[in-house]
Amino acid sequence: MRTVSSVEKAVTIMLGDSNPLVLSAMSEVFQRDTRFSLLATSATAEGFLATVMRIPAQVGIIDWSLPAMGGAKLLEQLREQEGAPRIVVYGDQASEAHLGALGAGAAGFVARSDPAETLLDTCMAVAAGKMVFPYLDVRALQRNPLQSLSPREMDMLEALSKGLTNRELSRELGISGNTVKFHLSNLYEKLSVRSRAQAIAFYYSSRHGPPPGRGSD
């Protein structure tokens, strides 16, 4: 039974996951635990952002691949909002989502294969101001230049991989041509490459696959 006192002290939670079964299961887990008060759920990143602006929560739990904008861009949007929740990413550690979550500014990461108690304990720790992540080999992070990129630079690299021109990059990302050149310069320096083609090749090689075929041109 929840008393008035326990409700007032409960950590407020919001959930975001595109899988209705996962969302239902997580909702049940948090509703059973009197340490938490579940405020809302969403199946999309856009819905999560809109709802959390109306109903502030202390902690948000999101799927890293939450459609449509994804976890990284959602975190970027939340950083610009005063009073935004601290975010715990609930995802597949094998996909290295924990590295992306750390780089994007999440406060914690819990693998979907972990027990429910791990998710609950992580959320309590994050609500208390702590960061909670699986063991990370810092040397491996340092060897991967992608981890040094800002969210905006990562957006630039992903857009660049589509073969966009500077003008198209400017339109795609909503920034000026001079800002495009500035980000490209920083991008090349961080990746230790000298050209657009080398940056694109680096992007695809880091994902263990060749760039898509573009014919003979």
Side-chain angles (χ1 to χ4, degrees):
M1 176 181 292
R2 291 178 183 265
T3 64
V4 172
S5 177
S6 68
V7 170
E8 289 176 348
K9 294 179 181 178
V11 174
T12 53
I13 294 287
M14 182 169 173
L15 306 176
D17 200 292
S18 60
N19 186 323
L21 295 178
V22 172
L23 199 57
S24 175
M26 283 201 299
S27 297
E28 185 176 341
V29 166
F30 281 103
Q31 288 170 338
R32 284 202 312 260
D33 194 315
T34 57
R35 295 176 297 172
F36 299 97
S37 175
L38 178 60
L39 301 182
T41 66
S42 177
T44 67
E46 289 78 5
F48 185 99
L49 181 62
T51 303
V52 86
M53 295 307 299
R54 293 185 292 103
I55 312 173
Q58 292 171 266
V59 178
I61 299 92
I62 65 167
D63 172 15
W64 185 239
S65 56
L66 189 63
M69 74 171 73
K73 290 186 179 179
L74 175 57
L75 280 162
E76 182 181 352
Q77 293 288 325
L78 288 172
R79 281 200 301 272
E80 300 175 0
Q81 308 299 330
E82 185 176 352
R86 293 172 61 81
I87 296 295
V88 174
V89 173
Y90 188 53
D92 181 7
Q93 188 172 341
S95 69
E96 298 193 344
H98 60 302
L99 300 181
L102 178 62
F109 178 91
V110 177
R112 290 182 184 268
S113 57
D114 286 343
E117 290 75 16
T118 300
L119 179 60
L120 296 171
D121 291 344
T122 297
C123 289
M124 286 300 296
V126 164
K130 298 178 181 179
M131 292 184 67
V132 184
F133 283 86
Y135 170 75
L136 297 172
D137 186 341
V138 177
R139 294 170 300 175
L141 285 175
Q142 293 171 339
R143 288 194 297 267
N144 185 355
L146 290 181
Q147 300 304 322
S148 69
L149 301 184
S150 68
R152 175 58 81 185
E153 289 164 348
M154 196 65 214
D155 288 344
M156 176 73 69
L157 182 57
E158 290 175 351
L160 199 64
S161 72
K162 302 174 186 176
L164 302 185
T165 64
N166 280 15
R167 180 174 296 180
E168 290 168 334
L169 287 171
S170 175
R171 186 164 55 248
E172 173 92 0
L173 301 174
I175 56 180
S176 70
N178 286 335
T179 303
V180 167
K181 293 177 182 177
F182 172 77
H183 282 308
L184 284 177
S185 177
N186 287 341
L187 190 62
Y188 294 167
E189 182 177 353
K190 289 183 178 182
L191 298 182
S192 299
V193 300
R194 297 181 180 180
S195 69
R196 181 183 302 255
Q198 289 179 348
I200 294 172
F202 184 95
Y203 174 82
Y204 283 107
S205 66
S206 71
R207 279 156 173 71
H208 310 292
R214 298 179 184 273
S216 58
D217 56 1

